[in-house]
Amino acid sequence: MDYTYSMKPARQRIIDYLVDHKVATASELSHILNLTSADVRHHISVLIKQGSITTSGYKHTKQKGRPARLYALSAPMARDNLNLFIHYLLSHLSANLSTDSYQQILKDTATLFVSDLHWETENLTRRLYQAIAYLRNLNYDSSWEARARSPHLIFGHCPFAKIVDQHPEMCVFDAYLLQILLGKPVQQIEKLTISSLGLPQCKFSIADNIPPEP
């Protein structure tokens, strides 16, 4: 495969190379992909923040100094058929169930995700901090920011990113998850907008004007 002159974006070429060769240093990627060292470092930093690649070890070189870091695909990027299975499963459910029944399955599944939690606080700020910590354990790059009318919850990395284009209902699942964690109705206000760091993010807001479901 000619990685140097591929029409694919640089980050996809990095991923493609790691799929074929398992590991590489930044210097090797720079040489093979015909990118500057600064560009490679930038793309590697973004891919690590996205959870696509990770540091897998070090490689000794003939040059003096510390060994060079090796980069490899992270576990979620490993090649398997799990995403394909999920795609067909969700497609089958949505095609054979009513909209209300399918939405209920999404909500019930979100409930199972947090079934081991027993928060006995009504303090919204405390619940926000607890929810963010719990979501990070579920591989969401989550945070929240105070706003005059209602707090905003931000997902910088969605663990369902591989299938969300085909199944936008996963955003509904995320809203249900937040609603259960916070005990308040939640609505999505931004989808895959670009943050100040140049990364895609989604935003949700607590919708106090919507009555909570029983």
Side-chain angles (χ1 to χ4, degrees), residues 41-206:
R41 288 196 298 270
H42 168 70
H43 292 311
I44 286 175
S45 176
V46 171
L47 288 169
I48 288 175
K49 289 178 181 178
Q50 290 178 338
S52 299
I53 67 174
T54 185
T55 302
S56 66
Y58 295 87
K59 180 178 181 179
H60 291 279
T61 65
K62 295 181 180 179
Q63 298 178 347
K64 293 182 179 180
R66 293 183 296 179
R69 290 185 178 181
L70 283 169
Y71 299 96
L73 296 179
S74 60
M77 289 295 296
R79 290 178 289 180
D80 55 41
N81 291 323
L82 184 58
N83 289 326
L84 188 61
F85 174 81
I86 294 172
H87 163 61
Y88 284 127
L89 178 61
L90 293 178
S91 297
H92 176 74
L93 291 173
S94 62
N96 289 277
L97 295 174
S98 67
T99 300
D100 288 345
S101 295
Y102 187 43
Q103 294 277 322
Q104 188 62 48
I105 284 179
L106 292 175
K107 186 175 182 180
D108 290 345
T109 305
T111 302
L112 290 172
F113 263 61
V114 297
S115 59
D116 59 334
L117 294 181
H118 302 285
W119 295 345
E120 298 180 355
T121 177
E122 295 300 321
N123 183 284
L124 180 58
T125 300
R126 290 179 62 188
R127 290 192 74 146
L128 280 165
Y129 279 114
Q130 291 173 327
I132 293 305
Y134 188 76
L135 288 165
R136 287 176 178 171
N137 288 333
L138 292 178
N139 298 316
Y140 287 88
D141 181 7
S142 53
S143 60
W144 73 278
E145 56 186 23
R147 290 300 180 100
R149 298 187 62 182
S150 177
H152 285 180
L153 296 106
I154 304 166
F155 288 170
H157 165 71
C158 173
F160 306 114
K162 287 186 177 181
I163 63 170
V164 74
D165 286 341
Q166 295 171 300
H167 297 282
E169 66 268 28
M170 296 312 299
C171 294
V172 177
F173 172 88
D174 288 341
Y176 280 141
L177 194 59
L178 288 169
Q179 177 176 305
I180 296 165
L181 287 170
L182 299 175
K184 288 181 174 290
V186 172
Q187 63 183 4
Q188 187 170 19
I189 57 175
E190 291 183 19
K191 180 178 179 180
L192 298 178
T193 56
I194 302 302
S195 71
S196 59
L197 297 176
L199 298 173
Q201 66 179 19
C202 294
K203 282 189 179 182
F204 298 82
S205 175
I206 296 175

